[in-house]
Amino acid sequence: MLSILIPGFREDELHLQHLMVDFNGTLAIDGKLIAGVKEKLNLISEKLQVHIVTGNSFGTAEKELEGISCTLKLLSAHNQNIEKGKYVEMLGKESVISIGNGSKDREMVQRSVIGIILIQKEGASVEALMVSNIACTNILDALDLIDNPKRISATLRS
């Protein structure tokens, strides 16, 4: 579990239990895991349960995620945005921090207590960006926020 106090964001301390992350465009580019992601996710998995959700467009998720302590959720080709939102609800939205980049990540990012949007090589959906709490320019910076939660507090406090 990861506890974070963010003055002005929530009255009570957040008690995060889950990290939910999109695969392609977020952890991977063109189906290939971004260098350094495996190590960061394994560090974070010591504090949070890591859930990777994907439509697996390139068919590489299982192979690319070998050796990472995570739960992989493969989604159908249809309604991925809705499926991701329901998955957040199933985990308990007040305990989820999520990271995504595309339109199909909008519900996941919006429903999570903290939603992070990435603007990487694939860009980011403006719809998802508008409902996120934090925007980062690469996945390693986003994962570093989770590894150093005072950075999240510094960004979101008011």
Side-chain angles (χ1 to χ4, degrees):
M1 182 177 350
L2 185 64
S3 296
I4 308 172
L5 182 61
I6 307 172
F9 181 73
R10 299 282 177 162
E11 285 185 32
D12 297 329
E13 188 172 48
L14 299 178
H15 299 289
L16 303 172
Q17 296 177 26
H18 306 279
L19 169 62
M20 189 170 158
V21 190
D22 173 56
F23 180 68
N24 206 57
T26 304
L27 297 175
I29 302 296
D30 298 330
K32 299 288 184 190
L33 202 63
I34 296 168
V37 166
K38 180 178 183 176
E39 296 79 12
K40 295 272 186 193
L41 285 177
N42 279 329
L43 278 175
I44 289 169
S45 73
E46 295 174 10
K47 301 174 189 175
L48 300 173
Q49 293 178 3
V50 177
H51 304 264
I52 299 171
V53 291
T54 181
N56 205 17
S57 303
F58 291 89
T60 60
E62 289 135 327
K63 184 177 187 300
E64 291 293 310
L65 296 171
E66 285 178 3
I68 297 176
S69 181
C70 68
T71 299
L72 174 61
K73 171 74 172 162
L74 298 175
L75 304 172
S76 67
H78 305 288
N79 300 315
Q80 289 181 17
N81 186 39
I82 293 167
E83 285 187 61
K84 288 179 179 184
K86 287 180 179 178
Y87 197 83
V88 168
E89 295 290 338
M90 187 263 312
L91 293 174
K93 63 184 180 180
E94 292 297 317
S95 69
V96 178
I97 185 168
S98 64
I99 307 173
N101 76 305
S103 291
K104 62 188 175 294
D105 301 322
R106 182 179 42 83
E107 287 291 323
M108 171 182 77
V109 169
Q110 185 173 22
R111 291 185 191 195
S112 300
V113 69
I114 297 175
I116 301 173
I117 199 75
L118 296 182
I119 307 169
Q120 298 187 122
K121 291 186 181 196
E122 283 190 6
S125 158
V126 173
E127 288 178 334
L129 178 63
M130 295 304 291
V131 298
S132 67
N133 301 104
I134 299 173
C136 291
T137 57
N138 70 68
I139 186 60
L140 298 178
D141 287 347
L143 295 174
D144 279 345
L145 288 175
I146 296 165
D147 198 33
N148 300 287
K150 286 185 179 182
R151 292 180 185 174
I152 294 173
S153 182
T155 299
L156 295 179
R157 71 178 177 233
S158 60

